[in-house]
Amino acid sequence: MGWWDSLWASSRSADDPLRKLDPKLREFLEKESPVKYGSTPPPTAESSTSSTPSTETTTTGESSDDKPTVVPAESQFQDGRYAHLWKSYRPLAEVEAETKSDHEKLMDVLEGYKERKAQIGRAALENCALEQVDWRSCMSNPSWSERMTLCRDQVRKFERCYTTQTRLLKALGYLSTFDQSPEVEEDIQMHADTLYHRMLKQEAEIAAAKKEGRPIPKFAPLITRPVVATPEQELTPEQQELLKAKLEKVAEEDRAAEEEAFRGEIRAKAEVASKVQGLWRQQELDRQMRKEKGEETMWDKVAGVFNRGNSQEKK
């Protein structure tokens, strides 16, 4: 009577999703499928009322399970997949920092200070990219006058840009501390470039005023105070003499920036010195703890002798 059911579909056949399948395939699905298809009576009011608390409990449990699992930034799947594999993960830098010796930690601080000078040079080169392009263009395809002067104007323009940008970066506190974010360093680099072009614009206005016989305009200093909010240190007599000698070799309009750059270098050196002293204090505490536990090594004894000798010399 399959043709009769197709014309007058009963409620039972309408509720059966397998009614149009082959009988053998239907029998196989009914055996193998974990979901049993069939007609179910409509739920009564009592059953629906009684199932409400369980439904709410299930929903609450699912909502608690749907909380996003925190995974480290190194994971490619930030949606929480494979979070169980990342539970015991530790960054490589953290693991290496724990296994480094005292000498390696000290060398890291000193190498970071040396690398700072190289990074300041690279930042100045980035800010002077246009001047460098002009110099290379002159060297590759010079005119007759440029060939006779060996691109002297372009070389001077680039050298002045590089020197001034380096001076401004040091004065503004570029890489002066170890905990500054890359965003702050980039802002300092962009601000240094802005100050340099502002200085060029002011010089052009002064030259135009002199040429036209007008009064020379007065401008505020490019750098009024250091960007890094650290307590200003008093210069020692030796440092004051060194600063005076440096200022005598610089033009009058560049002396303010040169002085701030010198003070920025003093602040950077003080930061490195504080880091080194902190490492020494931590090493001394570790030696004292090992000595109290009876685990003092031969190197601890030698270091203790040197420390006592240094303390007596200071006295």
Side-chain angles (χ1 to χ4, degrees):
M1 297 295 289
W3 61 273
W4 181 263
D5 291 337
S6 63
L7 293 176
W8 307 97
S10 61
S11 60
R12 181 176 181 275
S13 62
D15 296 337
D16 188 3
L18 307 178
R19 65 181 183 277
K20 295 183 179 180
L21 296 178
D22 184 76
K24 293 183 179 180
L25 178 59
R26 177 174 176 173
E27 182 181 358
F28 174 78
L29 291 176
E30 288 178 350
K31 288 182 179 180
E32 300 296 334
S33 177
V35 180
K36 302 300 181 183
Y37 296 97
S39 60
T40 57
T44 60
E46 296 179 357
S47 62
S48 62
T49 305
S50 62
S51 64
T52 302
S54 61
T55 305
E56 292 178 355
T57 305
T58 306
T59 306
T60 306
E62 291 178 355
S63 62
S64 62
D65 294 340
D66 290 343
K67 291 182 179 179
T69 307
V70 179
V71 294
E74 288 80 3
S75 176
Q76 186 178 0
F77 306 99
Q78 293 297 318
D79 55 357
R81 282 181 286 175
Y82 311 111
H84 62 286
L85 300 177
W86 292 93
K87 287 183 179 180
S88 59
Y89 171 77
R90 298 176 62 192
L92 179 61
E94 180 180 347
V95 177
E96 290 180 346
E98 292 183 356
T99 57
K100 284 183 179 179
S101 63
D102 297 336
H103 177 71
E104 290 176 341
K105 293 178 181 179
L106 180 61
M107 292 305 298
D108 287 343
V109 176
L110 299 179
E111 289 296 333
Y113 178 73
K114 294 179 181 179
E115 181 65 19
R116 170 181 175 268
K117 295 184 177 181
Q119 291 181 0
I120 289 176
R122 286 193 289 267
L125 287 176
E126 290 179 3
N127 289 351
C128 299
L130 296 179
E131 288 77 6
Q132 193 172 7
V133 168
D134 293 341
W135 179 17
R136 290 185 176 181
S137 299
C138 177
M139 296 298 292
S140 60
N141 188 20
S143 62
W144 177 256
S145 59
E146 293 173 345
R147 190 186 301 272
M148 295 296 296
T149 58
L150 298 177
C151 301
R152 180 176 54 192
D153 295 338
Q154 287 78 5
V155 172
R156 289 180 177 177
K157 184 179 178 181
F158 170 75
E159 289 180 348
R160 190 191 179 194
C161 176
Y162 181 79
T163 303
T164 307
Q165 292 277 3
T166 304
R167 185 180 297 143
L168 291 174
L169 288 170
K170 292 180 180 179
L172 294 174
Y174 186 76
L175 297 177
S176 59
T177 58
F178 294 94
D179 56 351
Q180 283 187 162
S181 62
E183 291 77 12
V184 175
E185 303 293 355
E186 185 176 359
D187 292 340
I188 294 176
Q189 181 180 354
M190 295 176 63
H191 187 55
D193 191 46
T194 302
L195 291 180
Y196 175 71
H197 288 88
R198 185 187 302 174
M199 181 192 70
L200 295 180
K201 184 178 179 181
Q202 293 175 0
E203 291 178 354
E205 292 180 3
I206 292 175
K210 289 181 178 180
K211 185 177 181 180
E212 297 174 1
R214 294 184 287 104
I216 298 177
K218 299 294 183 180
F219 301 100
L222 293 177
I223 302 176
T224 56
R225 58 184 177 85
V227 173
V228 182
T230 55
E232 191 68 25
Q233 297 181 351
E234 294 293 335
L235 299 179
T236 62
E238 293 79 6
Q239 292 173 347
Q240 292 178 0
E241 291 294 331
L242 183 59
L243 175 61
K244 183 178 179 181
K246 284 181 172 293
L247 295 180
E248 291 177 354
K249 301 177 182 179
V250 181
E252 182 68 26
E253 59 272 12
D254 296 335
R255 289 183 178 179
E258 179 65 25
E259 181 177 357
E260 291 298 335
F262 182 82
R263 294 182 180 273
E265 283 293 307
I266 297 298
R267 289 192 295 269
K269 291 180 180 179
E271 177 76 12
V272 174
S274 64
K275 295 284 289 185
V276 173
Q277 291 176 359
L279 289 175
W280 285 345
R281 286 193 295 267
Q282 185 63 36
Q283 292 175 11
E284 183 63 26
L285 291 176
D286 294 340
R287 282 196 294 268
Q288 293 295 334
M289 291 178 63
R290 288 193 295 268
K291 184 176 181 181
E292 293 175 358
K293 294 180 180 179
E295 301 175 354
E296 189 177 13
T297 62
M298 182 61 67
W299 173 251
D300 292 339
K301 295 179 181 180
V302 175
V305 172
F306 279 105
N307 289 336
R308 285 195 297 269
N310 292 333
S311 61
Q312 291 177 359
E313 289 179 0
K314 290 181 180 179
K315 290 179 182 180

